[in-house]
Amino acid sequence: MRAVAAFLLVLCYLAVTHAWRCSEGPRLYNARQIDAGQGKVIARDTSGYVYFLIGSSWHRMTTIRFNHASIGPAGLWATSTSGNRVYKYIAGNFAVSSGLSMRQVDAGGNGQVVGVTSSSAAYCLRSDLASSYKGSGSLSWSNLSRVLKYISCGKYGCWGTDTSHRIYFSQTLSPTTCGNSRWSQISGSAVMVEVGTDGSVFVVNSSGQLYQRSGISSRSPQGTSWTTVSMCMPVRHVSYDLGNLWVVTTSGLLMKCTH
Ligand SMILES: *[C@@H]1O[C@H](CO)[C@@H](O)[C@H](O)[C@H]1NC(C)=O
Ligand SMILES: *[C@@H]1O[C@H](CO)[C@@H](O)[C@H](O)[C@H]1NC(C)=O
């Protein structure tokens, strides 16, 4: 399997001729999900183990298995495979919180944490509550009254996808109050959306095709159109931070791409 994977990657480099230049990332077999923020990179494998990138090697952070992990201005947050419980990384350990269970969380916004439950209800944790949480007591999540399957926030707002793969954007969600989210549907279809802290937006559709949102700026926070980022293999998950686009393929390979 590993030999096959390496061979596929070689074919991949030969085939890639677009604006992003990709190479194999630091080697992590059976990668499933990746998240990058504030210069730090974490990845999760098919067993649910979360790894932290130091130099060119991955270091397993805990023996707890997670469904999703995210790192950003709000810190490092994750949801467990067993029971979708929400954890915050504190002083070298993952501390479990009481309060709502989430299937996916995102720490990439302006200090707030956003997440979706297993019944696809979207929630937000105010930036003051997220930053001061010390590992005890219940977290008080605000209901965003929106059905979303995946949610991610960044500089110009929050993006989400629903169970029918529709894409939504909210420019107004307040990180300090979690109020005022007004969502508008954006053209296209996607199963996941990741927003870099700088506002860059990437989506993956159900066929594993990757797109970047073009034309995003403070005057046009929702951007203008989708641009295909051609990859030689179907993509499962992506994350972008500080010039690096991290790509996990459906076959579990990890790639690092730069412009
Ligand atoms: C939260 O909002 C969802 C709609 O997304 C709704 O179905 C659910 O009942 C709300 N939960 C609470 C506790 O109000
Ligand atoms: C995904 O993207 C590919 C390439 O643009 C397209 O052919 C396909 O129809 C898209 N699939 C969905 C479900 O959006």
Side-chain angles (χ1 to χ4, degrees), residues 61-62 64 66 68-80 84-98 105 107 111-113 125-137 139 141:
M61 301 186 75
T62 172
I64 304 168
F66 292 111
H68 193 92
S70 179
I71 192 163
L76 201 173
W77 294 75
T79 61
S80 65
N84 293 315
R85 302 187 73 187
V86 177
Y87 287 73
K88 181 183 181 182
Y89 193 66
I90 301 171
N93 292 294
F94 282 91
V96 67
S97 68
S98 51
V105 283
Q112 81 277 33
V113 177
L125 184 65
R126 283 166 19 203
S127 53
D128 60 330
L129 298 179
S131 66
S132 64
Y133 185 67
K134 294 189 184 73
S136 59
L139 290 174
W141 295 86

Side-chain angles (χ1 to χ4, degrees), residues 25-27 39-41 52-59 246 254 256:
R27 193 160 291 181
K40 292 163 263 195
V41 187
F52 193 92
L53 181 62
I54 299 174
S56 55
S57 36
W58 295 99
H59 298 261
W246 298 88
L254 188 67
K256 183 184 163 186

Side-chain angles (χ1 to χ4, degrees), residues 37-245:
Q38 297 190 310
K40 292 163 263 195
V41 187
I42 54 174
R44 199 174 53 84
D45 67 11
T46 44
S47 304
Y49 294 126
V50 172
Y51 301 79
F52 193 92
L53 181 62
I54 299 174
S56 55
S57 36
W58 295 99
H59 298 261
R60 194 169 83 180
M61 301 186 75
T62 172
T63 53
I64 304 168
R65 293 164 186 248
F66 292 111
N67 259 340
H68 193 92
S70 179
I71 192 163
L76 201 173
W77 294 75
T79 61
S80 65
T81 303
S82 131
N84 293 315
R85 302 187 73 187
V86 177
Y87 287 73
K88 181 183 181 182
Y89 193 66
I90 301 171
N93 292 294
F94 282 91
V96 67
S97 68
S98 51
L100 290 174
S101 299
M102 297 286 153
R103 194 171 54 194
Q104 181 247 328
V105 283
D106 186 85
N110 208 345
Q112 81 277 33
V113 177
V114 288
V116 294
T117 65
S118 51
S119 48
S120 300
Y123 283 85
C124 171
L125 184 65
R126 283 166 19 203
S127 53
D128 60 330
L129 298 179
S131 66
S132 64
Y133 185 67
K134 294 189 184 73
S136 59
S138 183
L139 290 174
S140 179
W141 295 86
S142 310
N143 198 343
L144 295 178
S145 299
R146 191 86 212 172
V147 174
L148 292 176
K149 205 166 175 204
Y150 199 105
I151 187 168
S152 179
C153 298
K155 187 171 175 187
Y156 300 117
C158 298
W159 291 71
T161 58
D162 73 6
T163 48
S164 306
H165 306 164
R166 288 180 288 239
I167 304 169
Y168 294 92
F169 170 69
S170 169
Q171 187 190 345
T172 48
L173 175 69
S174 160
T176 53
T177 66
C178 283
N180 210 26
S181 66
R182 287 189 302 274
W183 298 87
S184 44
Q185 193 180 343
I186 305 291
S187 67
S189 158
V191 290
M192 64 142 291
V193 53
E194 272 291 333
V195 188
T197 301
D198 71 353
S200 304
V201 175
F202 293 85
V203 295
V204 173
N205 82 4
S206 58
S207 319
Q209 175 67 53
L210 174 62
Y211 297 87
Q212 179 173 13
R213 190 70 179 168
S214 303
I216 293 176
S217 68
S218 52
R219 264 186 290 152
S220 172
Q222 62 174 52
T224 49
S225 61
W226 296 110
T227 304
T228 304
V229 179
S230 64
M231 288 282 151
C232 53
M233 284 182 258
V235 172
R236 182 189 298 281
H237 201 266
V238 291
S239 186
Y240 172 85
D241 182 47
L242 301 175
N244 295 297
L245 175 64

